[in-house]
């Protein structure tokens, strides 16, 4: 007897998409340890990558991913990702995602380090909240049982299915049985930041706990120790849970990075890997501004932009400057630990070696190599969350009894 045909774990972008796409299977539960939607996904700021229509644009998207990765990528996963982005984002737009448009009504596409053509689309600097609002609305209208404040503490493969051990809000522990499980419990960058005592953009979370359970089940990993830094972490929020950052699309505007002597450190339109390595290297050489308490940074010249532009395009940054009494001023930035590049190795549709167990989102590796391009994080979670949800639905249809 099965409690649910499919259980989806986690309510970030990947989990919500998986639940929506699994819903047709009937008897789907979405289990999440906090309130619905609390996740890294809701923190996303800068935007997502959406290539223009046409084969040439898809090939250049794929080439950018491979070139920036500087290492092995999972070729099938990259191909599946690139080929499904447009359908996935179109679905979100149909559901009500209101992307920034120009005066002609065309979607605005911006550039970022490592992109051979402008591809970043956004909702000002709040792509995460905008996407999550739409997904919450859709999932709540689907036949999905939502179990909030419920933590999955163990997964046990059994004959024909998987046992999901949960701890409820009141501390009660229960064992549920499902035909298929889609696990979307995110990346482990927060734990890595704590381990290294480094600043991070990630809010505190327990994503690593189920990660360790899955590792204990013997699932293979790829590039296990690869993590990424976001170059523009705001030094003032260093050490704060979920430190703030300036979206990388700021490089579309005439800003520079300056060292302690206010010398320009060079081209800032490089990809994250090059830019963060340059910043670390210059800091080692003593060129960063040192605050005397371990914090250091480089000046990002927001003073080169007029206030109206910042307020219209980066309202969160503007709000931060306002609160810090720093309107019209430069701010200190430094690379903050941001994203888990490695992860579990799955099939292109998220299947694992355990029958009925699917994974999606930041916990899966192989898409980015050593360097994720800006805008390919939440996009990966959306695309592969949808695919894994459908794959689980088809799996239970094939294995009905
Ligand atoms: C500040 C910030 C800005 C970002 N900006 C961008 C951007 O502009 N563009 C971009 O592409 N990407 C961006 N990213 C990255 C992107 O947001 C994430 O990589 C992506 O959204 C991860 O989605 P996910 O669904 O895989 O995981 P998450 O969003 O981390 O969701 C994991 C979910 O699993 C739940 N969970 C974990 N463990 C358990 C458990 N044991 N039991 C039950 N539930 C559990 C969590 O509570 C959460 O709901 C940003 C990230 C941050 C932190």
């Amino acid at each position: 007897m099965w409690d649910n045909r499919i259980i989806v774990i986690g309510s970030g972008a990947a989990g919500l998409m998986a639940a929506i796409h699994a819903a047709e299977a009937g008897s789907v539960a979405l289990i999440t340890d906090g309130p619905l939607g609390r996740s890294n996904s809701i923190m996303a700021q800068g935007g997502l990558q959406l290539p223009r229509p046409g084969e040439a644009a898809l090939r250049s998207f794929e080439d950018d991913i491979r070139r920036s990765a500087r290492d092995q990528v999972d070729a099938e996963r990259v191909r599946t990702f690139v080929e499904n982005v447009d359908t996935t984002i179109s679905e979100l737009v149909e559901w009500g995602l209101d992307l920034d448009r120009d005066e002609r009504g065309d979607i605005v596409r911006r550039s970022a380090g490592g992109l051979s053509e402008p591809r970043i689309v956004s909702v000002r600097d709040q792509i995460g909240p905008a996407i999550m609002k739409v997904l919450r609305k859709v999932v709540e209208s689907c036949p999905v049982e939502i179990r909030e404040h419920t933590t999955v503490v163990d997964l046990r493969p059994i004959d024909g299915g998987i046992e999901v051990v949960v701890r409820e809000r009141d501390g009660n522990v229960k064992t549920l049985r499902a035909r298929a499980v889609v696990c979307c419990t995110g990346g482990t960058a927060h734990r890595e930041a704590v381990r290294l005592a480094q600043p991070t953009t990630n809010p505190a979370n327990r994503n690593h706990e189920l990660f360790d359970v899955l590792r204990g089940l013997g699932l293979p990993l790829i590039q296990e120790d690869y993590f990424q830094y976001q170059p523009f972490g705001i030094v003032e929020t260093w050490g704060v849970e979920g430190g703030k950052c300036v979206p990388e699309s700021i490089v579309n505007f005439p800003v520079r990075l300056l060292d302690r002597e206010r010398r320009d450190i060079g081209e800032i339109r490089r990809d994250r890997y090059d830019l963060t390595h340059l910043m670390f290297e210059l800091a080692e050489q003593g060129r960063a501004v040192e605050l005397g308490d371990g914090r250091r940074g480089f000046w990002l010249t927001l003073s080169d932009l007029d206030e109206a532009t910042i307020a219209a395009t980066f309202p969160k940054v503007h709000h931060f400057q306002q609160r810090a009494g720093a309107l019209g001023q430069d701010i200190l930035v430094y690379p903050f630990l941001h994203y888990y590049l490695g992860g579990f190795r799955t099939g292109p549709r998220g299947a694992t070696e355990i029958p009925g167990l699917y994974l999606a989102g930041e916990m899966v590796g192989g898409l980015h190599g050593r360097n994720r391009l800006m805008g390919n994080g939440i996009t990966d979670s959306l695309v592969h969350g949808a695919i894994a949800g459908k794959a689980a639905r088809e799996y239970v249809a094939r294995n009905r009894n």
Side-chain angles (χ1 to χ4, degrees), residues 60-77:
S60 106
F61 186 23
E62 188 169 344
D63 289 349
D64 284 356
I65 294 174
R66 287 173 180 280
R67 192 187 49 253
S68 304
R70 296 172 173 77
D71 203 340
Q72 177 201 4
V73 288
D74 177 335
E76 263 191 301
R77 188 169 164 75

Side-chain angles (χ1 to χ4, degrees), residues 9-15 31-35 37-49 127 150-153 184-187 201-203 205-210 243 245 272 338-339 360-363 372-381:
I9 313 170
S11 64
I31 299 181
T32 194
D33 61 346
R38 191 194 65 191
S39 59
N40 279 11
S41 298
I42 205 163
M43 309 297 292
Q45 287 182 275
L48 49 85
Q49 289 212 44
I127 192 74
T150 304
T151 304
V152 176
V153 293
C184 306
T185 46
T201 59
N202 283 209
N205 58 52
R206 57 156 60 89
N207 294 0
H208 53 278
E209 291 177 10
L210 212 52
C245 57
R272 283 183 180 171
H338 187 58
Y339 186 84
E362 193 175 330
M363 66 190 315
R372 166 169 81 79
L373 290 171
M374 179 201 168
N376 275 353
I378 196 159
T379 324
D380 167 38
S381 296

